[in-house]
Each structure stands twice: as structure tokens, then as C-alpha cells.
Coordinates of all heavy atoms in Angstrom, one line a residue:
M1 N 0.8 -1.2 0.0 CA 0.0 0.0 0.0 C 0.9 1.3 0.0 O 0.6 2.2 -0.7 CB -0.9 0.0 1.2 CG -1.8 1.2 1.3 SD -3.4 0.8 0.4 CE -4.4 2.1 1.0
N2 N 1.9 1.3 0.8 CA 2.8 2.5 0.8 C 3.5 2.7 -0.5 O 3.6 3.9 -0.9 CB 3.9 2.3 1.9 CG 3.3 2.5 3.3 OD1 2.2 3.0 3.5 ND2 4.0 2.0 4.3
L3 N 3.8 1.7 -1.2 CA 4.4 1.8 -2.5 C 3.4 2.4 -3.5 O 3.8 3.3 -4.3 CB 4.9 0.4 -3.1 CG 5.6 0.4 -4.4 CD1 6.8 1.3 -4.4 CD2 5.9 -1.0 -4.9
F4 N 2.2 2.0 -3.4 CA 1.1 2.5 -4.3 C 1.0 4.0 -4.0 O 0.9 4.9 -5.0 CB -0.2 1.8 -4.1 CG -1.3 2.4 -4.9 CD1 -1.4 2.2 -6.3 CD2 -2.3 3.2 -4.3 CE1 -2.4 2.7 -7.0 CE2 -3.3 3.8 -5.0 CZ -3.4 3.5 -6.4
I5 N 0.9 4.4 -2.8 CA 0.7 5.8 -2.4 C 1.9 6.6 -2.9 O 1.8 7.7 -3.4 CB 0.5 6.0 -0.9 CG1 -0.8 5.4 -0.5 CG2 0.6 7.4 -0.5 CD1 -1.1 5.3 1.0
T6 N 3.1 6.1 -2.7 CA 4.4 6.8 -3.1 C 4.3 7.0 -4.6 O 4.7 8.1 -5.1 CB 5.6 6.0 -2.7 OG1 5.6 5.8 -1.3 CG2 6.9 6.7 -3.1
I7 N 4.0 6.0 -5.4 CA 3.9 6.1 -6.8 C 2.9 7.1 -7.3 O 3.1 8.0 -8.1 CB 3.7 4.7 -7.5 CG1 4.9 3.8 -7.3 CG2 3.4 4.9 -9.0 CD1 4.7 2.4 -7.7
A8 N 1.7 7.1 -6.6 CA 0.6 8.0 -7.0 C 1.0 9.5 -6.6 O 0.8 10.4 -7.4 CB -0.7 7.7 -6.2
L9 N 1.6 9.7 -5.5 CA 2.1 11.0 -5.1 C 3.2 11.5 -6.0 O 3.2 12.7 -6.4 CB 2.5 11.1 -3.7 CG 1.4 11.0 -2.6 CD1 2.0 10.9 -1.2 CD2 0.5 12.1 -2.7
T10 N 4.1 10.6 -6.4 CA 5.2 11.0 -7.3 C 4.6 11.4 -8.7 O 5.0 12.4 -9.3 CB 6.1 9.8 -7.5 OG1 6.7 9.5 -6.2 CG2 7.3 10.2 -8.4
A11 N 3.6 10.6 -9.2 CA 3.0 10.9 -10.5 C 2.2 12.3 -10.4 O 2.3 13.1 -11.3 CB 2.0 9.8 -10.9
L12 N 1.5 12.5 -9.3 CA 0.8 13.7 -9.1 C 1.7 14.9 -9.1 O 1.5 15.9 -9.7 CB -0.1 13.7 -7.9 CG -0.9 14.9 -7.5 CD1 -1.8 15.3 -8.7 CD2 -1.6 14.8 -6.2
S13 N 2.8 14.8 -8.3 CA 3.7 15.9 -8.1 C 4.5 16.2 -9.5 O 4.7 17.3 -9.8 CB 4.7 15.7 -7.0 OG 5.5 14.6 -7.3
S14 N 4.8 15.1 -10.2 CA 5.4 15.3 -11.5 C 4.5 16.0 -12.5 O 4.9 16.9 -13.2 CB 5.8 14.0 -12.1 OG 6.8 13.4 -11.3
T15 N 3.2 15.6 -12.5 CA 2.2 16.3 -13.3 C 2.1 17.7 -13.0 O 2.1 18.6 -13.9 CB 0.9 15.6 -13.2 OG1 1.0 14.2 -13.6 CG2 -0.2 16.2 -14.1
L16 N 2.0 18.1 -11.7 CA 1.9 19.4 -11.3 C 3.1 20.2 -11.7 O 3.0 21.4 -12.1 CB 1.6 19.5 -9.8 CG 0.2 19.1 -9.3 CD1 0.2 19.1 -7.8 CD2 -0.8 20.0 -9.9
A17 N 4.3 19.6 -11.4 CA 5.5 20.3 -11.8 C 5.6 20.6 -13.3 O 6.0 21.6 -13.7 CB 6.7 19.5 -11.3
F18 N 5.2 19.6 -14.1 CA 5.3 19.7 -15.5 C 4.3 20.8 -16.0 O 4.6 21.5 -16.9 CB 4.9 18.4 -16.2 CG 5.0 18.4 -17.7 CD1 6.3 18.3 -18.3 CD2 3.9 18.5 -18.4 CE1 6.4 18.4 -19.6 CE2 4.0 18.5 -19.8 CZ 5.2 18.4 -20.4
T19 N 3.1 20.9 -15.4 CA 2.1 21.9 -16.0 C 2.2 23.3 -15.3 O 2.0 24.3 -16.0 CB 0.7 21.3 -15.8 OG1 0.5 21.1 -14.4 CG2 0.5 20.1 -16.6
L20 N 2.6 23.3 -14.0 CA 2.6 24.6 -13.4 C 3.9 25.3 -13.3 O 4.0 26.5 -13.4 CB 2.0 24.5 -11.9 CG 0.6 24.0 -11.8 CD1 0.2 23.8 -10.3 CD2 -0.4 25.0 -12.5
L21 N 5.0 24.6 -13.1 CA 6.3 25.3 -12.9 C 6.8 26.0 -14.1 O 7.4 27.1 -13.9 CB 7.3 24.2 -12.4 CG 7.1 23.8 -10.9 CD1 8.2 22.8 -10.5 CD2 7.1 25.0 -10.0
P22 N 6.6 25.6 -15.3 CA 7.0 26.4 -16.4 C 6.5 27.8 -16.4 O 7.2 28.8 -16.6 CB 6.6 25.6 -17.6 CG 6.6 24.2 -17.2 CD 6.1 24.3 -15.8
Q23 N 5.2 27.9 -16.1 CA 4.6 29.3 -16.0 C 5.1 30.1 -14.8 O 5.4 31.2 -15.0 CB 3.0 29.2 -15.9 CG 2.4 28.8 -17.2 CD 2.2 27.3 -17.3 OE1 2.4 26.6 -16.4 NE2 1.9 26.8 -18.5
I24 N 5.2 29.4 -13.7 CA 5.7 30.1 -12.5 C 7.1 30.5 -12.7 O 7.5 31.6 -12.5 CB 5.5 29.2 -11.2 CG1 4.0 29.0 -11.0 CG2 6.2 29.8 -10.0 CD1 3.8 27.9 -9.9
G25 N 8.0 29.5 -13.1 CA 9.4 29.8 -13.3 C 9.6 30.8 -14.4 O 10.4 31.7 -14.3
R26 N 8.8 30.8 -15.5 CA 9.0 31.7 -16.6 C 8.7 33.2 -16.1 O 9.4 34.1 -16.3 CB 8.2 31.3 -17.8 CG 8.5 32.1 -19.0 CD 7.8 31.6 -20.2 NE 6.5 30.9 -20.0 CZ 6.3 29.6 -20.3 NH1 7.2 28.9 -20.9 NH2 5.1 29.1 -20.1
S27 N 7.6 33.3 -15.4 CA 7.2 34.7 -14.9 C 8.2 35.2 -13.9 O 8.6 36.4 -13.9 CB 5.8 34.7 -14.4 OG 5.7 33.9 -13.2
N28 N 8.7 34.3 -13.0 CA 9.7 34.8 -12.1 C 11.0 35.1 -12.8 O 11.7 36.1 -12.4 CB 10.0 33.7 -11.0 CG 8.8 33.6 -10.0 OD1 8.0 34.5 -9.9 ND2 8.8 32.5 -9.3
H29 N 11.4 34.3 -13.8 CA 12.6 34.6 -14.5 C 12.5 35.9 -15.3 O 13.4 36.7 -15.2 CB 12.9 33.4 -15.5 CG 14.1 33.6 -16.3 ND1 15.4 33.6 -15.7 CD2 14.3 33.8 -17.6 CE1 16.2 33.8 -16.7 NE2 15.6 33.9 -17.8
I30 N 11.4 36.1 -15.9 CA 11.2 37.3 -16.7 C 11.2 38.5 -15.8 O 11.9 39.5 -16.1 CB 10.0 37.3 -17.6 CG1 10.2 36.3 -18.7 CG2 9.6 38.6 -18.1 CD1 8.9 35.9 -19.5
S31 N 10.5 38.5 -14.7 CA 10.5 39.6 -13.8 C 11.8 39.9 -13.1 O 12.2 41.0 -12.9 CB 9.4 39.4 -12.7 OG 9.7 38.3 -11.9
S32 N 12.6 38.8 -12.9 CA 13.9 39.1 -12.3 C 14.9 39.7 -13.4 O 15.7 40.4 -13.0 CB 14.5 37.8 -11.8 OG 14.8 36.9 -12.8
L33 N 14.7 39.3 -14.6 CA 15.5 39.9 -15.7 C 15.2 41.4 -15.8 O 16.1 42.2 -16.1 CB 15.2 39.3 -17.1 CG 15.8 37.9 -17.3 CD1 15.3 37.3 -18.6 CD2 17.3 37.9 -17.3
Y34 N 14.0 41.8 -15.6 CA 13.6 43.2 -15.8 C 13.2 43.9 -14.5 O 12.4 44.8 -14.5 CB 12.4 43.2 -16.8 CG 12.8 42.7 -18.2 CD1 12.3 41.5 -18.6 CD2 13.7 43.3 -19.0 CE1 12.7 40.9 -19.8 CE2 14.1 42.8 -20.2 CZ 13.6 41.6 -20.6 OH 13.9 41.1 -21.8
A35 N 13.9 43.5 -13.5 CA 13.6 44.1 -12.2 C 14.0 45.6 -12.2 O 13.5 46.4 -11.4 CB 14.3 43.3 -11.1
E36 N 15.0 45.9 -13.0 CA 15.4 47.2 -13.1 C 15.2 47.7 -14.5 O 15.4 47.0 -15.5 CB 16.9 47.2 -12.8 CG 17.5 48.6 -12.4 CD 19.0 48.4 -12.0 OE1 19.2 47.7 -11.1 OE2 19.8 49.1 -12.6
K37 N 14.8 49.0 -14.7 CA 14.6 49.5 -16.1 C 16.0 49.6 -16.8 O 17.0 49.9 -16.2 CB 14.1 50.9 -16.0 CG 12.6 51.0 -15.7 CD 12.2 52.4 -15.7 CE 10.8 52.5 -16.2 NZ 10.3 53.9 -16.4
I38 N 15.9 49.3 -18.1 CA 17.1 49.4 -18.9 C 17.2 50.9 -19.3 O 18.3 51.4 -19.3 CB 16.9 48.5 -20.2 CG1 16.9 47.1 -19.8 CG2 18.0 48.8 -21.2 CD1 16.5 46.1 -20.9
N39 N 16.1 51.5 -19.8 CA 16.2 52.9 -20.2 C 16.0 53.8 -19.0 O 14.9 53.8 -18.4 CB 15.1 53.1 -21.2 CG 14.9 54.6 -21.7 OD1 15.8 55.4 -21.5 ND2 13.8 54.9 -22.3
S40 N 17.0 54.6 -18.7 CA 16.8 55.5 -17.5 C 16.9 57.0 -17.9 O 16.9 57.8 -17.1 CB 17.9 55.2 -16.5 OG 19.2 55.4 -17.1
K41 N 17.0 57.2 -19.3 CA 17.1 58.6 -19.6 C 16.5 59.1 -21.0 O 16.4 60.2 -21.2 CB 18.6 59.0 -19.6 CG 19.5 58.3 -20.6 CD 20.9 58.6 -20.4 CE 21.6 59.4 -21.5 NZ 23.0 59.7 -21.3
I42 N 16.1 58.1 -21.8 CA 15.6 58.5 -23.1 C 14.0 58.5 -23.2 O 13.4 57.5 -22.9 CB 16.0 57.5 -24.2 CG1 17.5 57.2 -24.1 CG2 15.6 57.9 -25.6 CD1 18.4 58.4 -24.4
D43 N 13.4 59.7 -23.4 CA 12.0 59.8 -23.7 C 11.2 59.1 -22.6 O 10.3 58.3 -22.9 CB 11.7 59.3 -25.1 CG 10.4 59.9 -25.6 OD1 9.8 60.8 -25.0 OD2 9.9 59.4 -26.7
L44 N 11.4 59.4 -21.4 CA 10.8 58.6 -20.2 C 9.3 58.8 -20.1 O 8.6 58.0 -19.5 CB 11.5 59.0 -18.9 CG 13.0 58.6 -18.9 CD1 13.6 59.1 -17.6 CD2 13.2 57.1 -19.1
D45 N 8.8 59.9 -20.6 CA 7.3 60.1 -20.6 C 6.5 59.3 -21.6 O 5.3 59.2 -21.5 CB 7.0 61.6 -20.7 CG 7.6 62.4 -19.6 OD1 7.7 61.9 -18.5 OD2 7.9 63.6 -19.8
S46 N 7.2 58.8 -22.5 CA 6.6 58.0 -23.6 C 6.3 56.6 -23.1 O 7.2 56.0 -22.5 CB 7.4 58.0 -24.9 OG 6.8 57.2 -25.9
P47 N 5.2 56.0 -23.5 CA 4.9 54.6 -23.1 C 5.9 53.6 -23.9 O 6.1 52.5 -23.4 CB 3.5 54.3 -23.5 CG 3.1 55.4 -24.5 CD 4.0 56.6 -24.2
K48 N 6.4 54.0 -25.0 CA 7.3 53.2 -25.8 C 8.2 54.1 -26.6 O 7.7 55.0 -27.2 CB 6.5 52.3 -26.7 CG 7.4 51.3 -27.5 CD 6.7 50.5 -28.5 CE 5.5 49.7 -28.0 NZ 4.9 48.9 -29.0
V49 N 9.5 53.9 -26.6 CA 10.4 54.7 -27.4 C 10.5 54.0 -28.8 O 10.9 52.9 -28.9 CB 11.8 54.7 -26.7 CG1 12.8 55.5 -27.6 CG2 11.7 55.3 -25.3
V50 N 10.1 54.8 -29.8 CA 10.2 54.3 -31.1 C 10.8 55.4 -32.0 O 10.5 56.6 -31.9 CB 8.7 54.1 -31.7 CG1 8.8 53.6 -33.1 CG2 8.0 53.0 -30.8
N51 N 11.8 55.0 -32.8 CA 12.4 55.9 -33.7 C 12.3 55.4 -35.2 O 12.4 54.2 -35.4 CB 13.9 56.0 -33.4 CG 14.1 56.6 -32.0 OD1 14.2 55.8 -31.1 ND2 14.1 57.9 -31.9
N52 N 12.0 56.3 -36.1 CA 11.9 55.9 -37.5 C 12.9 56.7 -38.3 O 12.9 57.9 -38.2 CB 10.5 56.2 -38.0 CG 10.2 55.6 -39.4 OD1 11.1 55.1 -40.0 ND2 9.0 55.8 -39.8
E53 N 13.8 56.0 -39.0 CA 14.9 56.6 -39.7 C 14.9 56.1 -41.1 O 14.5 54.9 -41.4 CB 16.2 56.4 -39.0 CG 16.3 56.9 -37.6 CD 17.3 57.9 -37.4 OE1 18.1 58.2 -38.4 OE2 17.3 58.5 -36.4
S54 N 15.4 56.9 -42.0 CA 15.6 56.5 -43.4 C 17.1 56.7 -43.8 O 17.7 57.6 -43.3 CB 14.8 57.4 -44.4 OG 13.4 57.2 -44.1
L55 N 17.6 55.8 -44.6 CA 18.9 55.9 -45.1 C 18.9 56.2 -46.6 O 18.1 55.6 -47.4 CB 19.7 54.6 -44.9 CG 19.9 54.2 -43.4 CD1 20.6 52.8 -43.4 CD2 20.7 55.2 -42.7
E56 N 19.8 57.1 -47.0 CA 20.0 57.4 -48.4 C 20.9 56.3 -49.0 O 21.7 55.7 -48.2 CB 20.7 58.7 -48.6 CG 19.9 59.9 -48.1 CD 18.6 60.1 -48.9 OE1 18.6 59.9 -50.1 OE2 17.6 60.5 -48.2
P57 N 20.9 56.0 -50.3 CA 21.8 55.0 -50.9 C 23.2 55.3 -50.5 O 23.7 56.5 -50.6 CB 21.5 55.2 -52.4 CG 20.1 55.7 -52.4 CD 20.0 56.6 -51.3
G58 N 23.9 54.3 -50.1 CA 25.3 54.5 -49.7 C 25.6 55.0 -48.3 O 26.7 55.1 -47.8
E59 N 24.5 55.4 -47.6 CA 24.7 55.9 -46.3 C 24.8 54.8 -45.2 O 24.2 53.8 -45.4 CB 23.4 56.8 -45.9 CG 23.5 57.6 -44.7 CD 22.3 58.5 -44.4 OE1 21.3 58.3 -45.1 OE2 22.5 59.4 -43.6
K60 N 25.5 55.1 -44.1 CA 25.6 54.2 -43.0 C 25.3 55.0 -41.7 O 25.7 56.1 -41.6 CB 27.0 53.7 -43.0 CG 27.3 52.8 -41.8 CD 28.7 52.2 -41.8 CE 29.7 53.1 -41.2 NZ 31.0 52.5 -41.0
K61 N 24.6 54.3 -40.8 CA 24.3 54.9 -39.5 C 24.6 53.9 -38.4 O 24.5 52.7 -38.6 CB 22.8 55.3 -39.3 CG 22.5 56.6 -40.2 CD 21.1 57.1 -39.9 CE 20.8 58.3 -40.7 NZ 19.5 58.8 -40.5
V62 N 25.1 54.4 -37.3 CA 25.4 53.5 -36.1 C 24.5 53.8 -35.0 O 24.4 55.0 -34.5 CB 26.9 53.8 -35.7 CG1 27.3 52.8 -34.6 CG2 27.8 53.6 -36.9
Y63 N 23.7 52.8 -34.6 CA 22.6 53.0 -33.6 C 23.0 52.5 -32.3 O 23.6 51.4 -32.1 CB 21.3 52.4 -34.1 CG 20.7 53.0 -35.3 CD1 21.0 52.5 -36.6 CD2 19.9 54.1 -35.2 CE1 20.4 53.1 -37.7 CE2 19.4 54.7 -36.4 CZ 19.7 54.2 -37.6 OH 19.2 54.8 -38.7
C64 N 22.5 53.2 -31.2 CA 22.8 52.9 -29.8 C 21.9 51.7 -29.4 O 20.7 51.6 -29.8 CB 22.4 54.1 -28.9 SG 22.5 53.7 -27.2
R65 N 22.5 50.7 -28.7 CA 21.7 49.6 -28.1 C 21.9 49.6 -26.6 O 21.4 48.7 -26.0 CB 22.2 48.3 -28.7 CG 21.8 48.2 -30.2 CD 21.9 46.8 -30.7 NE 23.2 46.3 -30.6 CZ 23.5 45.0 -30.8 NH1 22.6 44.1 -31.2 NH2 24.8 44.6 -30.6
C66 N 22.7 50.5 -26.0 CA 22.9 50.5 -24.6 C 22.0 51.5 -23.8 O 22.0 51.4 -22.6 CB 24.4 50.8 -24.3 SG 24.9 52.5 -24.6
W67 N 21.3 52.3 -24.5 CA 20.4 53.3 -23.9 C 21.1 54.4 -23.2 O 20.6 55.2 -22.4 CB 19.4 52.7 -23.0 CG 18.4 51.8 -23.7 CD1 18.5 50.5 -23.9 CD2 17.2 52.2 -24.3 NE1 17.4 50.1 -24.6 CE2 16.5 51.1 -24.9 CE3 16.5 53.5 -24.4 CZ2 15.3 51.2 -25.5 CZ3 15.3 53.5 -25.0 CH2 14.7 52.4 -25.6
L68 N 22.4 54.5 -23.4 CA 23.2 55.5 -22.7 C 23.7 56.7 -23.5 O 24.2 57.7 -23.0 CB 24.4 54.9 -22.0 CG 24.1 53.8 -21.0 CD1 25.4 53.1 -20.6 CD2 23.4 54.3 -19.8
S69 N 23.5 56.6 -24.8 CA 24.0 57.6 -25.8 C 23.3 59.0 -25.6 O 22.1 59.1 -25.4 CB 23.7 57.1 -27.2 OG 24.1 58.1 -28.1
G70 N 24.2 60.0 -25.6 CA 23.7 61.4 -25.6 C 23.1 61.8 -26.9 O 22.5 62.9 -27.0
T71 N 23.3 61.0 -27.9 CA 22.8 61.3 -29.3 C 21.8 60.3 -29.7 O 21.6 60.1 -30.9 CB 23.9 61.4 -30.3 OG1 24.6 60.1 -30.3 CG2 24.9 62.5 -30.0
F72 N 21.1 59.6 -28.8 CA 20.2 58.5 -29.1 C 19.1 59.0 -30.1 O 18.7 60.2 -30.0 CB 19.4 58.1 -27.8 CG 18.6 56.9 -27.9 CD1 19.2 55.7 -27.7 CD2 17.3 56.9 -28.3 CE1 18.5 54.5 -27.8 CE2 16.6 55.8 -28.4 CZ 17.2 54.5 -28.2
P73 N 18.8 58.2 -31.1 CA 19.1 56.8 -31.3 C 20.4 56.5 -31.9 O 20.7 55.3 -32.0 CB 18.0 56.4 -32.2 CG 17.7 57.6 -33.1 CD 17.9 58.7 -32.2
L74 N 21.2 57.5 -32.2 CA 22.6 57.2 -32.7 C 23.5 57.0 -31.6 O 23.4 57.5 -30.5 CB 23.0 58.4 -33.6 CG 22.1 58.7 -34.8 CD1 22.6 59.9 -35.6 CD2 22.0 57.5 -35.7
C75 N 24.5 56.2 -31.9 CA 25.6 55.8 -30.9 C 26.6 56.9 -30.8 O 27.0 57.5 -31.7 CB 26.2 54.5 -31.4 SG 27.6 53.9 -30.4
D76 N 27.0 57.1 -29.5 CA 28.1 58.0 -29.2 C 29.2 57.3 -28.5 O 30.1 57.9 -27.9 CB 27.6 59.3 -28.5 CG 27.2 58.9 -27.0 OD1 27.2 57.7 -26.6 OD2 26.8 59.9 -26.3
A77 N 29.2 56.0 -28.6 CA 30.2 55.1 -27.9 C 30.1 55.1 -26.4 O 31.1 54.7 -25.7 CB 31.6 55.5 -28.4
S78 N 29.0 55.5 -25.8 CA 28.8 55.4 -24.4 C 29.0 54.0 -23.9 O 29.3 53.7 -22.7 CB 27.5 56.0 -23.9 OG 27.4 57.4 -24.2
H79 N 28.7 53.0 -24.8 CA 28.8 51.6 -24.4 C 30.2 51.2 -24.0 O 30.4 50.2 -23.2 CB 28.3 50.7 -25.5 CG 29.1 50.8 -26.8 ND1 28.8 51.8 -27.7 CD2 30.1 50.1 -27.2 CE1 29.7 51.7 -28.7 NE2 30.5 50.6 -28.4
V80 N 31.2 51.9 -24.5 CA 32.6 51.5 -24.2 C 32.8 51.7 -22.7 O 33.3 50.7 -22.0 CB 33.6 52.4 -25.0 CG1 35.0 52.1 -24.5 CG2 33.4 52.1 -26.5
A81 N 32.5 52.8 -22.1 CA 32.6 53.0 -20.6 C 31.7 52.0 -19.8 O 32.2 51.4 -18.8 CB 32.3 54.4 -20.2
H82 N 30.5 51.8 -20.3 CA 29.6 50.9 -19.7 C 30.2 49.5 -19.6 O 30.2 48.8 -18.6 CB 28.2 50.9 -20.4 CG 27.4 49.7 -20.1 ND1 26.6 49.7 -18.9 CD2 27.1 48.5 -20.7 CE1 26.0 48.5 -18.9 NE2 26.3 47.8 -19.9
N83 N 30.7 49.0 -20.8 CA 31.3 47.7 -20.8 C 32.5 47.6 -19.9 O 32.7 46.5 -19.2 CB 31.8 47.4 -22.3 CG 30.6 47.1 -23.2 OD1 29.5 47.0 -22.7 ND2 30.8 47.1 -24.5
K84 N 33.3 48.6 -19.8 CA 34.5 48.6 -18.9 C 34.0 48.5 -17.4 O 34.6 47.8 -16.6 CB 35.4 49.8 -19.1 CG 36.2 49.7 -20.3 CD 37.1 50.9 -20.4 CE 37.9 50.9 -21.7 NZ 38.7 52.1 -21.9
E85 N 33.0 49.3 -17.1 CA 32.5 49.3 -15.7 C 31.8 48.0 -15.3 O 31.9 47.6 -14.1 CB 31.5 50.5 -15.5 CG 32.2 51.8 -15.6 CD 31.2 53.0 -15.6 OE1 30.0 52.7 -15.3 OE2 31.6 54.1 -15.9
T86 N 31.0 47.4 -16.2 CA 30.2 46.3 -15.8 C 30.6 44.9 -16.3 O 30.1 43.9 -15.9 CB 28.8 46.5 -16.4 OG1 28.8 46.5 -17.8 CG2 28.2 47.8 -15.9
G87 N 31.6 44.9 -17.3 CA 32.0 43.6 -17.9 C 31.0 43.2 -19.0 O 31.1 42.1 -19.4
D88 N 30.1 44.1 -19.3 CA 29.1 43.8 -20.4 C 29.8 43.7 -21.7 O 30.9 44.1 -21.8 CB 28.0 44.8 -20.3 CG 26.6 44.3 -20.8 OD1 26.6 43.3 -21.5 OD2 25.6 45.1 -20.6
N89 N 29.0 43.3 -22.8 CA 29.6 43.3 -24.1 C 28.7 43.9 -25.1 O 28.8 43.6 -26.3 CB 29.9 41.8 -24.5 CG 28.6 41.0 -24.6 OD1 27.6 41.4 -24.2 ND2 28.8 39.8 -25.2
V90 N 27.9 44.9 -24.7 CA 27.0 45.6 -25.6 C 27.7 46.4 -26.6 O 28.8 47.0 -26.3 CB 25.9 46.4 -24.8 CG1 26.5 47.6 -24.2 CG2 24.8 46.8 -25.7
G91 N 27.2 46.5 -27.8 CA 27.8 47.4 -28.9 C 26.7 47.9 -29.7 O 25.5 47.6 -29.5
P92 N 27.0 48.7 -30.7 CA 26.0 49.4 -31.5 C 25.4 48.5 -32.6 O 26.0 47.4 -32.9 CB 26.8 50.5 -32.2 CG 28.1 50.0 -32.3 CD 28.3 49.1 -31.1
L93 N 24.4 48.9 -33.2 CA 23.8 48.3 -34.4 C 24.2 49.2 -35.6 O 24.0 50.4 -35.6 CB 22.3 48.3 -34.3 CG 21.5 47.9 -35.6 CD1 21.8 46.5 -36.1 CD2 20.1 48.1 -35.5
I94 N 24.9 48.6 -36.6 CA 25.4 49.4 -37.7 C 24.5 49.0 -38.9 O 24.4 47.8 -39.2 CB 26.9 49.1 -38.0 CG1 27.7 49.4 -36.7 CG2 27.3 49.8 -39.2 CD1 29.1 49.0 -36.8
V95 N 23.9 50.0 -39.5 CA 23.1 49.7 -40.7 C 23.6 50.5 -41.9 O 23.9 51.7 -41.7 CB 21.6 50.2 -40.4 CG1 20.7 49.9 -41.6 CG2 21.1 49.5 -39.2
A96 N 23.7 49.8 -43.0 CA 24.2 50.5 -44.2 C 23.3 50.2 -45.4 O 22.8 49.1 -45.6 CB 25.6 50.0 -44.5
A97 N 23.0 51.2 -46.1 CA 22.2 51.1 -47.3 C 23.1 50.9 -48.5 O 24.1 51.6 -48.7 CB 21.3 52.3 -47.6
P98 N 22.8 49.9 -49.4 CA 23.6 49.7 -50.6 C 23.7 51.0 -51.5 O 22.7 51.7 -51.5 CB 22.9 48.6 -51.3 CG 21.8 48.1 -50.5 CD 21.6 49.1 -49.4
K99 N 24.8 51.1 -52.1 CA 25.0 52.2 -53.0 C 24.2 51.9 -54.3 O 24.0 50.8 -54.7 CB 26.5 52.4 -53.4 CG 27.3 52.9 -52.2 CD 28.7 53.0 -52.6 CE 29.6 53.5 -51.5 NZ 31.0 53.6 -51.8
E100 N 23.7 53.0 -54.9 CA 23.0 52.8 -56.2 C 24.0 52.6 -57.3 O 25.1 53.1 -57.3 CB 22.2 54.1 -56.5 CG 21.0 54.3 -55.7 CD 20.2 55.5 -56.1 OE1 20.7 56.4 -56.8 OE2 19.0 55.6 -55.7
E101 N 23.6 51.7 -58.2 CA 24.5 51.4 -59.3 C 24.0 52.0 -60.6 O 22.9 52.2 -60.8 CB 24.7 49.9 -59.4 CG 25.5 49.4 -58.2 CD 25.8 47.9 -58.4 OE1 25.8 47.4 -59.5 OE2 26.0 47.3 -57.3

């Protein structure tokens, strides 16, 4: 009888863990990742920071991904100091439009 109860409880706990823990773990993991705001200075009154840019043929732009640039959305290399201070490896997004032929 004890073996049957042990097996039943093991099966029940496995089922609960399989169905419930991914949601619980995922929400805790996500909230711990974003416990602190990434953006602490760019357009803080806006519900979402969105920039729309166009490139001319042959033009190249370097965009900030660290949220620290004084010329946001363009990169001013603020990530270099950030990386030295934190050990992070963030860098810019470089976009180039092909030249017209």
C-alpha cells in the first residue's frame, strides 16, 4: 500500500511540476530579468520609445543599443565605458544602405 501511495504522489507531483512550474518559473525569471529599467534617460514620458529613420543610398548609421547615448538613437560610444564598468559586451547596431549602381 505504501508503494502505491508513493507512486501516486510521485505521479501527481510530476504532473503538477510539468504543468505549473514552467509558467511560475518563466514569470519569475522574466520579472527578475527586468527588475530594473534598462532605459533610464531616453523619452521617459513615452509609453514606448520608437524611432523611424531612413537611409540614403550608400549611407551608414550607427545606432545605440545600450540606452546611454547622448545622441540617441545614434551611438556616441557610451557603451565603451559601460562595458568597462560592468563587464558587459553591448555594442551598436550598424546599418548600411547599398549604393545605387
Side-chain angles (χ1 to χ4, degrees):
M1 181 90 166
N2 286 341
L3 180 60
F4 175 77
I5 292 172
T6 302
I7 292 172
L9 288 176
T10 302
L12 177 62
S13 64
S14 295
T15 301
L16 288 173
F18 183 78
T19 57
L20 296 178
L21 286 180
Q23 287 88 12
I24 294 168
R26 190 170 29 239
S27 65
N28 287 342
H29 179 66
I30 290 170
S31 64
S32 68
L33 283 175
Y34 300 109
E36 199 174 303
K37 282 184 148 187
I38 294 170
N39 175 17
S40 63
K41 62 191 250 181
I42 311 296
D43 202 9
L44 297 177
D45 294 332
S46 177
K48 185 188 300 184
V49 178
V50 178
N51 299 93
N52 188 357
E53 300 243 350
S54 297
L55 296 178
E56 298 295 324
E59 186 178 16
K60 175 177 88 170
K61 289 188 179 179
V62 182
Y63 293 97
C64 175
R65 293 194 303 173
C66 71
W67 291 92
L68 299 172
S69 175
T71 58
F72 192 88
L74 300 177
C75 176
D76 69 356
S78 292
H79 62 275
V80 174
H82 166 79
N83 289 346
K84 283 182 183 176
E85 291 172 14
T86 65
D88 207 347
N89 66 348
V90 69
L93 168 66
I94 301 172
V95 180
K99 293 180 181 178
E100 287 182 343
E101 291 184 24

